[in-house]
Amino acid sequence: MVALTIPIVTLELAVDDRTVRLTPLLILLPAFPAAIGTVRQTVYAVGWVLIVVTGVLIYRPLPSWYDYAVVMVLAATLGALCVLTCHLRIRRERDLRRVRSTAVALQRQVLRPLPVLTDRVIVDGVYLPVEQDRLVGGDIYEAVASPYGTRLLFGDVQGKGLPAIGAAFAALGAFREAALREPTLTALVDDLETAVVRHNAFAQQTGEPERFVTALILGIDASTHTQAVNCGHPAPYLLDTGTVTPVQIGDPGVPLGLADLAPKPRTVAWFPFPTGATLLACSDGVTEARDTTGAFYPLEERLRDWADVSPWEVADNLAEDLSRHTAGEQRDDITALVVRRAS
């Protein structure tokens, strides 16, 4: 406020022309602390402006007392409005923080923060919803320690942002319950299918769009081979001793919610997951990312370049490189999760 006041007052006193008066401009200055400061700071700014304006007008009077009264009334009125505006702004910001803290607590019930640890695996990585002010988007993940080993879910709900959270919560809730109850992976997937279909039926009644969920469900136990059921999700990559290979899990199948369109039931595939190896599961926000020319992101090529990088750094490197590839234009939720067997 002092820095802005000094040049205006200096010019006011330096100009000899009595018809040119810059002092009334000072009454606009409290708008700045009202926009970014506290109520007390705004009150101080209003008081400072009234003192300076009064002093300058006494030293260099206006043509009439009427003009003086108009300037002082305007200064006092605008000052009061600035204080009121600052008070309302702070109250609104406080309400927004309260709402956001509630939303954060609810969203954290949908997805647990990374890393996720069970007795069999550690899951870490990056999770970047396309809506930067949200903690949860359309991508989902979960790890559950069950009597039958650790069950992992990597999924992507059709759509993105907050509208996809309803279907995401339905799939996650069903997975957390069925992973502990169902002895086979196919029975678990059947429960997920039922949950998504039930959610879509409810969504249809409320006028919301129906959604499907692409998902990859893994079962990891003491064996060096891992079970997998793929429901239309991109296959993971296996990083082992400096080599990178796409995991072969057969036909990707149809997403959850569309089982009636499949010609045959979903089946379990097996693939080797030895101790010391790393699984990298990515969403289609990674595999379908494009640069400014429309070229897809070369995921497998990049992973080979990082063959000697620590597994925990792969996901971070991937997120940074993906941002460079797309020139910072994120068009979908981005998830890259690293799975390591717990030692």
Side-chain angles (χ1 to χ4, degrees):
M1 289 296 298
V2 174
L4 291 172
T5 302
I6 290 176
I8 295 176
V9 173
T10 302
L11 288 174
E12 166 75 19
L13 299 178
V15 175
D16 293 332
D17 190 351
R18 292 276 178 167
T19 62
V20 178
R21 305 306 300 265
L22 300 178
T23 301
L25 295 176
L26 294 174
I27 66 178
L28 301 176
L29 295 184
F32 292 99
I36 61 175
T38 65
V39 172
R40 178 177 294 182
Q41 291 169 338
T42 305
V43 171
Y44 288 160
V46 172
W48 167 259
V49 166
L50 291 175
I51 292 172
V52 173
V53 169
T54 301
V56 172
L57 293 183
I58 290 175
Y59 180 80
R60 193 179 183 191
L62 291 170
S64 67
W65 280 100
Y66 175 77
D67 295 333
Y68 176 81
V70 169
V71 171
M72 296 307 297
V73 169
L74 284 176
T77 302
L78 290 177
L81 289 176
C82 286
V83 173
L84 177 62
T85 301
C86 182
H87 171 72
L88 294 176
R89 174 185 61 81
I90 291 175
R91 188 171 68 177
R92 183 173 62 252
E93 290 176 351
R94 188 183 301 116
D95 291 340
L96 288 175
R97 284 195 296 269
R98 187 182 302 113
V99 170
R100 177 164 175 78
S101 65
T102 303
V104 168
L106 291 174
Q107 291 173 9
R108 285 307 187 196
Q109 297 304 310
V110 179
L111 286 184
R112 290 190 289 169
L114 293 168
V116 178
L117 175 66
T118 73
D119 57 342
R120 297 286 181 186
V121 299
I122 303 172
V123 182
D124 203 354
V126 293
Y127 184 86
L128 303 173
V130 66
E131 298 182 23
Q132 297 299 326
D133 60 337
R134 302 286 184 259
L135 298 179
V136 177
D139 292 349
I140 55 177
Y141 61 85
E142 185 57 289
V144 175
S146 76
Y148 316 103
T150 291
R151 268 75 185 273
L152 299 176
L153 167 68
F154 307 111
D156 185 0
V157 180
Q158 180 190 14
K160 50 184 176 288
L162 289 178
I165 286 184
F169 190 77
L172 281 170
F175 177 79
R176 288 164 178 163
E177 180 181 354
L180 296 171
R181 182 183 67 245
E182 300 295 347
T184 65
L185 221 55
T186 51
L188 190 160
V189 174
D190 289 342
D191 285 355
L192 296 182
E193 175 72 25
T194 301
V196 174
V197 170
R198 188 183 300 118
H199 170 79
N200 285 336
F202 177 77
Q204 189 176 24
Q205 294 174 3
T206 58
E208 298 179 4
E210 299 181 27
R211 301 180 186 276
F212 60 79
V213 182
T214 63
L216 176 65
I217 299 92
L218 304 179
I220 301 176
D221 53 22
S223 170
T224 58
H225 282 67
T226 295
Q227 302 179 66
V229 177
N230 193 359
C231 305
H233 197 271
Y237 287 84
L238 184 68
L239 289 67
D240 188 21
T241 62
T243 62
V244 177
T245 55
V247 175
Q248 301 300 322
I249 49 179
D251 182 7
V254 297
L256 298 172
L258 302 178
D260 290 342
L261 304 179
K264 55 184 179 180
R266 298 183 177 100
T267 56
V268 174
W270 295 78
F271 66 91
F273 184 21
T275 302
T278 301
L279 277 179
L280 179 71
C282 299
S283 66
D284 58 6
V286 175
T287 58
E288 297 179 5
R290 298 172 183 260
D291 63 12
T292 54
T293 66
F296 286 105
Y297 181 71
L299 176 59
E300 190 170 343
E301 177 184 333
R302 292 292 196 273
L303 292 178
R304 290 197 176 96
D305 293 338
W306 302 327
D308 298 328
V309 175
S310 165
W312 309 117
E313 297 177 6
V314 169
D316 291 330
N317 289 350
L318 179 58
E320 294 175 3
D321 190 61
L322 194 63
S323 179
R324 287 191 294 268
H325 179 81
T326 60
E329 293 293 329
Q330 183 178 340
R331 297 180 178 86
D332 197 359
D333 300 320
I334 292 175
T335 304
L337 299 174
V338 175
V339 182
R340 294 273 288 183
R341 285 184 178 273
S343 57

